[in-house]
Amino acid sequence: MKLLLVEDDAVLCDALAAHFKRAGYEFDCCGDGETGCYYALQNAYDCILLDRMLPKMDGLRVLESIRKKGIAVPVLLLTALGALGDRVNGLDAGADDYLVKPFEPEELLARIRALIRRPARMQAGEQLHAGDLSYFPAERRLCGPAGESILSKTEGLLFETLCRNRGQLLPRELLYLRVWGPEAETEEQGVDNYIHFLRRRLRTLQSGCRIVTVRSLGYRLEEKEC
C-alpha cells in the first residue's frame, strides 16, 4: 500500500513517517497544495492524507481538483477545523473521512485501514440506472437532468447499494454493514449524515428520484421513470 501525505507541518510529517514505516506502508510527503495536487493526479496511491490548510493551494481546492479529474482514491482530511460546517464542506468537496487535529497516530492508522479495505466491487465501464439517473461506479460519477457530480467514496458505496436495491427497504444496520463494514469505527449515525449528503446531490442534479425514509426502519431509493 502506498500513501500520499500532504502536510506543511514538518514535525508532524516526520512523526507520521515513522509510524507509516512501522506499519509497512510506502509513502510520499509534500508540504504544499500545488505539489500535493500534482502528486495526487498521478493516481499512484491507495490513500491520500490531506491537510485542510496548506500554502499555495488549500486542501479543499486540491480535493475538488482531483475529483474533477476523476481521481477516486480515498481521501482523509487532516485539519484543526472541527466545526460541523467545516466537516460538511470537506465531505461535500469529496473527502471520504475527516480527522481533527490533534489526533493519535493509532487512530489515523485505523482510519487508513478502514478506507483501504473497503471492497472495490466496480468494473470499468459499468453503469447503473435509476429513473433519470445514471451512475458510473468506477468513476463515482452520478449523472442527472442538470449535469453530473463526482461522489465521495462513502457516498458512492451508499448510492450504489441503494441503486442496486432500488425500490426495496434497506435497514440502516444493513446499509452500515455494506458501506462501512463490521469493523468500522464510525458510528451508525453516519448513515443518516450520508443520506443527507446524497439527497443534496439529487436536488442539485434536479433528479426526480427520491431517497425515502421509513421511520425507525431504514431507507429506499424510489425511481422516477425517464
Side-chain angles (χ1 to χ4, degrees):
M1 294 293 178
K2 189 169 185 179
L3 310 177
L4 173 62
L5 174 61
V6 188
E7 169 62 64
D8 63 334
D9 184 335
V11 175
L12 179 58
C13 284
D14 289 343
L16 292 179
H19 288 280
F20 294 156
K21 289 177 182 177
R22 282 198 292 271
Y25 293 129
E26 298 181 32
F27 58 92
D28 290 325
C29 298
C30 54
D32 68 82
E34 287 185 358
T35 305
C37 189
Y38 172 79
Y39 274 49
L41 289 174
Q42 308 310 304
N43 205 17
Y45 302 96
D46 297 289
C47 187
I48 297 173
L49 314 176
L50 180 63
D51 186 23
R52 174 83 180 259
M53 302 173 68
L54 291 165
K56 297 186 180 180
M57 187 178 185
D58 69 68
L60 289 188
R61 285 180 58 204
V62 173
L63 183 53
E64 290 168 350
S65 178
I66 67 174
R67 291 304 189 219
K68 286 179 181 177
K69 296 289 187 180
I71 303 300
V73 62
V75 174
L76 173 60
L77 279 182
L78 308 176
T79 179
L81 304 174
L84 176 60
D86 296 316
R87 297 198 300 273
V88 169
N89 289 340
L91 294 169
D92 280 348
D96 297 276
D97 201 356
Y98 204 105
L99 188 57
V100 177
K101 299 175 182 178
F103 52 81
E104 294 297 329
E106 291 78 9
E107 181 179 5
L108 175 63
L109 292 172
R111 299 284 188 102
I112 293 170
R113 290 193 298 270
L115 287 174
I116 62 181
R117 72 173 169 243
R118 292 179 188 171
R121 303 185 302 274
M122 298 81 85
Q123 299 295 323
E126 181 184 9
Q127 296 183 38
L128 301 176
H129 299 280
D132 55 10
L133 294 170
S134 298
Y135 182 56
F136 301 81
E139 305 167 34
R140 298 208 300 263
R141 179 162 55 94
L142 182 63
C143 302
E148 62 181 47
S149 182
I150 302 298
L151 306 186
S152 71
K153 185 171 183 179
T154 301
E155 288 175 320
L157 287 171
L158 182 56
F159 182 80
E160 182 183 352
T161 301
L162 290 166
C163 189
R164 291 186 185 278
N165 299 277
R166 53 194 176 277
Q168 301 180 38
L169 171 63
L170 299 179
R172 291 171 73 253
E173 296 82 2
L174 175 62
L175 290 171
Y176 181 78
L177 290 172
R178 291 269 185 92
V179 176
W180 281 269
E183 299 178 11
E185 299 185 9
T186 305
E187 295 182 0
E188 194 174 301
Q189 186 180 0
V191 174
D192 304 322
N193 293 333
Y194 276 92
I195 289 289
H196 171 70
F197 299 150
L198 283 179
R199 284 172 170 157
R200 292 205 304 184
R201 300 277 194 185
L202 298 188
R203 288 196 297 271
T204 299
L205 295 174
Q206 298 178 16
S207 172
C209 295
R210 299 188 307 149
I211 300 174
V212 176
T213 302
V214 180
R215 185 165 182 161
S216 302
L217 294 176
Y219 300 96
R220 68 170 176 264
L221 179 65
E222 291 188 352
E223 310 179 74
K224 176 183 177 181
E225 294 302 325
C226 298

